[in-house]
Amino acid sequence: MQSKPSEKKWKAGVLGATGVVGQRLVQMLGDHPWFELTEVAASERSSGKTYAEAVRWHLDSPVPESARGLIVKGLDPSLDCDFMLSALDSSVAGPAEEDFARAGYPVVSNSRNHRMDPDVPLLIPEVNAAHLDAIPLQQKNRGYDTGFIVTNPNCSTAGLVLVLKPLADAFGLEKIFVVTLQAISGAGYPGVPAMDIQGNVVPFISGEEEKMELEPQKLLGKWDGSRFVDAGLGLSAHCNRVPVVVGHLECVSVGLKKIASLEEVREALRSFEVDAELASLPTALRNPVVVLDDESRPQPRRDANAGNGMAAVVGRVRECPLLDVKLTLLSHNLVRGAAGTALLNAELLAARGFLNRRAAVQNQSVAEPVSR
Ligand code: NAP
């Protein structure tokens, strides 16, 4: 792991800290080598309480000591942080994240509201780190000073695109047909009513197919210096909610530009390795795609935590009679599909110096009264 690119830890705040994604962020920040959690914010239902009182904690490990006593704040952009991680409900995330960015905070968001904005990076570091080059234009367009917004994709898109990336690099992509089996935790808490999902499958998740058909185009496309250019893929998604707590399974058929054998496809996935910059980030995996040979895998219960939840696990790579190759993939919807990728995005921003300007302004204003 890379040594921390700064002497002090950056101060992190979590918006929507009491939700299922926010809790993951709080957990992952509990012992983070570069970031310390200094502020948590949520709705009026929670604000004013300590985090331990406000949160309905779903994780096996206890609430981190560093978070227990923090007082939950509202969405006023005056928090003691160098940057914000946002896991806000999408009903409030749009304007709230803009308010924080305008007030000077880098905002790393899980929410859908700004993902497709023409000047906002939609980022998976292993896939399109070069899209961070859009940040200066975003700041100029919007009159932001030290603040900006970076987003991560929808939970089922994150696993899919991580697996498509090595195939795009090795063979080129033409068409993708995907059917998802998505866990109930993807709907937040309390999520899908038990009466709807127990012993059942719900073949509709509002807005999900649209997101899965749009977001990969931006992620696998390019930033040309002034705008994002789509990847131009043919993409069709069917999204289903299934009675699984964690882990989105996806059955994918892929049409490749270049003819490839199944062994070449498996090898491209297996050997997908991140570069030295990414490998040095605390949350990164050197090989983020895991290929299993057992034909009954991947399975949500057995494989969702692979690579601490940051791996996309692939199995059943075989010929497709309609397109070229088909496979099954699984990813942890709350880690790779949300909190883990957000944290990795923040680490990449830190490593590239994007958090330094706000942190410097903060330190100055703290230091000022002392020096006068
Ligand atoms: P969730 O469990 O429903 O949590 C929502 C959070 O937003 C809670 O902290 C809640 O605070 C806060 N909130 C709600 N209304 C608010 C208001 N008016 N003002 C301030 N805060 C408010 O949802 P989630 O599943 O964690 O999802 C969070 C975001 O991540 C959503 O935008 C979602 O689309 C996105 N996302 C989720 C997943 C997933 O797998 N679940 C994956 C990728 C992205 P209170 O507790 O005080 O109500």
Side-chain angles (χ1 to χ4, degrees):
M1 196 183 75
Q2 190 195 30
S3 57
K4 196 169 78 64
S6 155
E7 285 307 303
K8 284 169 62 184
K9 284 191 176 186
W10 281 275
K11 292 185 280 183
V14 178
L15 305 174
T18 49
V20 294
V21 175
Q23 292 179 30
R24 285 275 165 181
L25 284 166
V26 168
Q27 182 197 42
M28 294 178 89
L29 287 166
D31 58 355
H32 196 278
W34 294 2
F35 304 145
E36 68 169 310
L37 180 67
T38 53
E39 297 270 21
V40 286
S43 77
E44 281 175 6
R45 286 180 289 279
S46 309
S47 55
K49 299 177 184 166
T50 65
Y51 185 69
E53 284 166 353
V55 71
R56 191 185 177 99
W57 190 253
H58 297 288
L59 300 169
D60 293 339
S61 60
V63 180
E65 271 312 312
S66 53
R68 293 191 69 81
L70 291 178
I71 301 296
V72 180
K73 308 266 176 72
L75 299 184
D76 184 32
S78 58
L79 304 180
D80 178 22
C81 303
D82 297 323
F83 72 101
M84 308 306 303
L85 289 150
S86 170
L88 284 171
D89 189 83
S90 57
S91 61
V92 287
E97 291 171 357
E98 285 173 21
D99 288 348
F100 275 87
R102 201 174 300 110
Y105 298 85
V107 177
V108 183
S109 172
N110 284 280
S111 303
R112 67 177 152 81
N113 308 63
H114 294 293
R115 286 181 194 147
M116 298 308 293
D117 288 4
D119 55 359
V120 171
L122 174 60
L123 187 68
I124 301 177
E126 298 94 332
V127 172
N128 62 338
H131 288 203
L132 287 183
D133 292 347
I135 289 174
L137 189 66
Q138 180 195 135
Q139 291 176 315
K140 187 166 167 247
N141 284 349
R142 300 178 181 218
Y144 295 164
D145 178 14
T146 57
F148 56 84
I149 301 172
V150 167
T151 60
N152 50 262
N154 158 267
C155 43
S156 41
T157 303
L160 175 68
V161 170
L162 192 57
V163 170
L164 291 179
K165 170 67 175 166
L167 302 182
D169 289 349
F171 315 113
L173 298 175
E174 258 174 8
K175 290 182 183 165
I176 296 111
F177 176 79
V178 53
V179 178
T180 69
L181 295 86
Q182 297 182 218
I184 49 177
S185 57
Y189 188 83
V192 191
M195 288 277 281
D196 288 342
I197 200 69
Q198 188 83 9
N200 199 16
V201 172
V202 181
F204 175 67
I205 304 173
S206 179
E208 196 81 353
E209 292 174 356
E210 292 81 352
K211 285 182 239 171
M212 280 200 85
E213 290 171 5
L214 261 183
E215 294 177 13
Q217 309 280 9
K218 185 170 179 181
L219 285 156
L220 292 165
K222 291 202 172 357
W223 170 253
D224 77 357
S226 58
R227 65 187 189 103
F228 294 105
V229 181
D230 277 1
L233 305 169
L235 223 162
S236 175
H238 295 248
C239 296
N240 304 284
R241 189 74 73 192
V242 298
V244 161
V245 177
V246 160
H248 289 352
L249 198 78
E250 305 181 31
C251 304
V252 193
S253 287
V254 186
L256 303 171
K257 282 195 175 142
K258 205 171 120 190
I259 295 171
S261 69
L262 292 180
E263 207 30 61
E264 286 171 324
V265 169
R266 283 190 198 101
E267 189 46 34
L269 294 168
R270 242 188 217 116
S271 60
F272 180 42
E273 190 174 311
V274 300
D275 63 19
E277 180 194 35
L278 290 186
S280 69
L281 304 179
T283 304
L285 300 176
R286 188 169 280 281
N287 296 96
V289 176
V290 173
V291 181
L292 301 179
D293 293 323
D294 179 344
E295 60 187 18
S296 66
R297 308 276 284 277
Q299 296 177 13
R301 208 158 51 196
R302 298 173 73 179
D303 299 311
N305 287 319
N308 296 321
M310 287 299 282
V313 186
V314 174
R316 307 208 60 220
V317 179
R318 59 214 193 276
E319 273 174 23
C320 175
L322 281 182
L323 300 179
D324 295 314
V325 59
K326 56 183 171 178
L327 53 83
T328 304
L329 72 89
L330 177 83
S331 61
H332 195 305
N333 52 298
L334 298 172
V335 182
R336 173 47 77 172
T341 298
L343 207 52
L344 195 58
N345 286 350
E347 290 166 3
L348 181 62
L349 289 164
R352 291 198 175 178
F354 281 101
L355 304 186
N356 291 345
R357 280 186 60 220
R358 158 94 192 159
V361 170
Q362 282 280 94
N363 288 341
Q364 251 174 20
S365 57
V366 171
E368 254 169 13
V370 182
S371 59
R372 268 187 205 136

